[in-house]
């Protein structure tokens, strides 16, 4: 291992050991729970009981850690579903407002066309019902008749055009109404999807909190240590591949702005569905960071993975987004030196973590 690699490795190890691992827990997308009186009460009760004096074996606590990871992961997936439904609902609401304006404008146009059509019909009626031949025979001035006949012909053509425009306007109004009805149905479907996701998020978090509340004080401390160890081992394994020797990309001007924004949110609580300014979920943080840099990106981690340009891990640079887990349920922003800034999970705050402390799905670049 060369000097450069050793220094980089040491620097990131320090980051992981001090800043990353000081914040326990695997990162997922979900809300920040508020400690309840019942939870603290059960903890103090168990601490005073005979069983609480003997911490559970590490194997049992490891099973608890894995169960908590699963619960928070399920909450993360549901959070992405909630955020996606919320984003679509906002778009559909805007579309309904736009269609409503078009319907109002179209109805006003149709009313005006009807007035013009009525005036044209009245003018033709006043012209008399005699055929053109009779008008020609009775006319003292044939040229004047021909001139008048030409004007009548022009009027008839204009009337036909008026009728065609009225017909098109009526068809447009019918289409606007049908589109609005469709958007209303989609809006209702997304409202139900949001409610379903909200219930699932709350259920998973409540189950996780209940599981944690059953642990004694010493067990909770050891559980946190197990979480830290798991993250540390994953990061160490990632670094040992020599990946940092290959990653040397420089941040773009926009990337620097996005990193600065995300870093400025350090210490703010995690809350599912939140986009700041006081709380964030994982994709709320990354989407707002890039919005502040002048480059709006999709709201959810799954859509960020689908829509943004994919980059090889070795080619990533500060500001790029690392997508985690096979279902793209978590996202963090790469800040250099093998680290990310991200909003982890309930009970955690925006913090720095090792880029390899979770299973990496891939990397995307918002300003490709």
């Amino acid at each position: 291992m060369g000097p450069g690699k050793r220094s980089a490795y040491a620097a990131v190890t320090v980051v992981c050991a001090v800043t990353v691992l000081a914040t326990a827990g695997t990162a997922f997308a979900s809300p920040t729970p508020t400690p309840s009186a019942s939870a603290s009460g059960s903890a103090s009760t168990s601490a005073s009981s005979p069983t609480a004096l003997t911490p559970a074996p590490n194997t049992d606590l490891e099973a608890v850690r894995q169960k908590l990871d699963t619960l928070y992961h399920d909450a993360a997936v549901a959070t992405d579903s909630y955020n996606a439904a919320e984003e679509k609902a906002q778009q559909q609401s805007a579309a309904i407002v736009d269609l409503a304006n078009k319907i109002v404008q179209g109805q006003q146009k149709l009313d005006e066309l009807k007035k013009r059509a009525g005036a044209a019909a009245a003018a033709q009626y006043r012209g008399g019902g005699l055929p053109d031949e009779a008008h020609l025979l009775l006319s003292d001035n044939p040229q004047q008749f021909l001139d008048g006949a030409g004007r009548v012909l022009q009027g008839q053509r204009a009337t036909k055009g008026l009728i065609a425009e009225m017909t098109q306007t009526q068809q447009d109004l019918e289409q606007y109404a049908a589109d609005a009805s469709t958007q209303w149905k989609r809006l209702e479907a997304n409202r139900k999807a949001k409610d379903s996701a909200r219930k699932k998020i709350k259920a998973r978090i409540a189950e996780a909190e209940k599981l944690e509340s059953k642990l004694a004080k010493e067990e909770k401390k050891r559980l946190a240590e197990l979480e830290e160890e798991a993250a540390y081992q994953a990061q160490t394994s990632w670094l040992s591949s020599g990946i940092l020797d290959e990653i040397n990309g420089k941040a773009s001007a926009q990337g620097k702005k996005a990193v600065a924004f995300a870093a400025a949110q350090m210490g703010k609580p995690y809350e599912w569905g939140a986009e700041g300014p006081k709380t964030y979920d994982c994709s709320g943080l990354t989407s707002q960071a890039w919005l502040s840099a002048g480059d709006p990106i999709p709201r959810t981690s799954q859509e960020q993975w689908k829509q943004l340009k994919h980059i090889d891990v070795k080619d990533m640079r500060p500001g790029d987004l690392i997508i985690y887990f096979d279902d793209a349920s978590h996202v963090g922003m790469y800040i250099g030196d093998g680290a990310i800034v991200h909003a982890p999970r309930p009970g955690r705050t925006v913090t720095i973590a090792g880029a390899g402390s979770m299973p990496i799905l891939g990397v995307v670049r918002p300003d490709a």
Side-chain angles (χ1 to χ4, degrees):
M1 181 184 299
K5 181 176 180 179
R6 281 197 298 270
S7 61
Y9 188 93
V12 178
T13 301
V14 170
V15 169
C16 296
V18 179
T19 38
V20 178
L21 301 183
T23 308
T26 305
F28 292 109
S30 12
T32 304
T34 302
S36 63
S38 59
S40 60
S42 62
S44 60
T45 300
S46 60
S48 61
S49 65
T51 55
L53 297 176
T54 305
N58 283 348
T59 52
D60 293 344
L61 285 176
E62 177 60 22
V64 171
R65 185 189 71 80
Q66 293 178 6
K67 177 63 175 177
L68 288 172
D69 281 355
T70 299
L71 291 171
Y72 284 127
H73 177 266
D74 288 348
V77 175
T79 296
D80 235 29
S81 298
Y82 177 90
N83 289 336
E86 172 67 16
E87 187 175 34
K88 289 179 181 177
Q90 291 175 354
Q91 294 170 351
Q92 285 152 3
S93 295
I96 290 171
V97 171
D98 183 57
L99 286 167
N101 289 332
K102 287 182 177 179
I103 289 173
V104 170
Q105 294 170 3
Q107 189 60 56
Q108 291 174 344
K109 179 180 180 181
L110 184 61
D111 292 343
E112 178 62 27
L113 290 172
K114 285 180 178 179
K115 288 180 181 178
R116 288 167 56 190
Q124 289 181 1
Y125 177 79
R126 288 194 297 271
L130 293 174
D132 291 344
E133 295 84 352
H135 280 291
L136 178 60
L137 291 172
L138 296 173
S139 175
D140 294 331
N141 188 335
Q143 184 58 48
Q144 186 178 19
F145 164 75
L146 292 175
D147 291 343
R151 286 193 295 273
V152 171
L153 182 60
Q154 291 175 355
Q156 290 175 339
R157 289 173 179 170
T159 301
K160 288 181 180 179
L162 194 61
I163 293 173
E165 191 174 1
M166 285 176 61
T167 302
Q168 183 61 55
T169 301
Q170 287 175 324
Q171 292 174 347
D172 289 344
L173 283 172
E174 291 173 1
Q175 186 60 53
Y176 294 153
D179 290 346
S181 176
T182 299
Q183 292 293 357
W184 273 114
K185 290 178 181 177
R186 290 175 178 171
L187 187 63
E188 178 62 16
N190 276 313
R191 185 192 66 77
K192 292 179 180 179
K194 282 175 58 181
D195 286 344
S196 176
R198 182 189 291 109
K199 290 176 182 177
K200 185 172 184 179
I201 293 166
K202 291 183 175 180
R204 294 297 180 270
I205 292 171
E207 189 175 350
E209 290 175 338
K210 183 178 180 181
L211 182 59
E212 289 184 287
S213 72
K214 293 179 179 179
L215 299 176
K217 183 177 180 180
E218 288 300 316
E219 290 173 331
K220 290 180 179 179
K221 181 179 179 181
R222 181 55 188 151
L223 177 63
E225 291 172 352
L226 289 174
E227 292 176 343
E228 292 171 0
E229 288 171 8
Y232 179 78
Q233 289 173 6
Q235 175 72 354
T236 300
S237 176
W238 185 68
L239 291 175
S240 66
S241 68
I243 187 66
L244 281 187
D245 287 344
E246 299 183 68
I247 302 174
N248 53 17
K250 303 298 182 183
S252 64
Q254 284 182 297
K256 290 178 180 178
K257 291 179 181 179
V259 168
F261 178 93
Q265 312 313 308
M266 293 271 289
K268 292 185 178 181
Y270 184 99
E271 181 182 6
W272 62 269
E275 299 177 82
K278 294 182 179 180
T279 58
Y280 294 90
D281 64 20
C282 67
S283 56
L285 177 66
T286 54
S287 59
Q288 287 300 305
W290 272 100
L291 181 62
S292 74
D295 195 348
I297 63 173
R299 168 64 177 88
T300 68
S301 57
Q302 292 179 348
E303 287 305 310
Q304 289 170 5
W305 173 244
K306 289 179 183 178
Q307 297 185 35
L308 301 180
K309 184 176 180 179
H310 290 202
I311 301 294
D312 287 339
V313 173
K314 63 181 179 61
D315 295 326
M316 69 181 175
R317 65 193 187 193
D320 288 346
L321 306 181
I322 303 181
I323 309 297
Y324 293 97
F325 305 103
D326 290 341
D327 52 9
S329 57
H330 187 69
V331 59
M333 179 177 293
Y334 186 64
I335 59 175
D337 292 331
I340 61 168
V341 61
H342 71 149
R345 68 159 175 85
R348 304 294 188 258
T349 61
V350 177
T351 188
I352 292 174
S357 60
M358 297 167 284
I360 296 176
L361 176 61
V363 180
V364 293
R365 178 164 294 165
D367 61 338

